[in-house]
Amino acid sequence: MLPLRAARERNVEVPRELSVVGEDDLPLAAWVAPSLTTINQPLSEMAETAVRMILGMARGTDPHPRSIELATELVVRESSGPAPQETLAARAASAFPILSPRRAQARSSTGPTDRP
């Protein structure tokens, strides 16, 4: 919920200027304002699959397949909307410097850095 708070503190309107999406679809996501769009992950199925693979490895079998894809669900609520207009995107980038395209380009051309 911190991105919603940060946007509010910087007078960036969610979702008009910035869309916010969380993960795990926690019950609180439906109660915050604006309600948070989330990605619902099948946590029980993920845990069950992991335990099955670990038990198999403990018995000496190689887990097949090594990569398993489980279905996720996008739960659309009030915190996401259409892409903002160019001027609104520029305002959001100035309010959240880490989102600035110029800064992202500089990072990618110079490699990893210790500075935020």
Side-chain angles (χ1 to χ4, degrees):
M1 309 315 150
L2 291 175
L4 293 174
R5 179 178 168 190
R8 188 172 36 256
E9 289 172 355
R10 289 165 177 79
N11 295 318
V12 174
E13 295 180 41
V14 174
R16 192 170 82 79
E17 297 175 90
L18 176 71
S19 288
V20 178
V21 179
E23 60 183 327
D24 294 336
D25 196 27
L26 299 173
L28 181 60
W31 291 94
V32 297
S35 59
L36 184 63
T37 295
T38 62
I39 298 171
N40 188 9
Q41 301 179 74
L43 298 178
S44 295
E45 190 177 353
M46 291 166 67
E48 181 182 317
T49 301
V51 168
R52 196 175 20 226
M53 292 175 77
I54 291 169
L55 291 175
M57 290 179 353
R59 288 191 297 270
T61 61
D62 193 23
H64 290 292
R66 288 186 177 270
S67 176
I68 297 174
E69 291 185 29
L70 301 175
T72 58
E73 174 191 12
L74 179 63
V75 181
V76 179
R77 295 195 179 98
E78 297 169 335
S79 70
S80 59
Q85 300 168 2
E86 185 64 33
T87 56
L88 296 178
R91 180 170 171 222
S94 67
F96 296 95
I98 197 160
L99 300 178
S100 169
R102 182 175 46 221
R103 184 179 176 120
Q105 183 180 18
R107 279 187 174 191
S108 66
S109 64
T110 60
T113 179
D114 293 11
R115 293 178 290 170

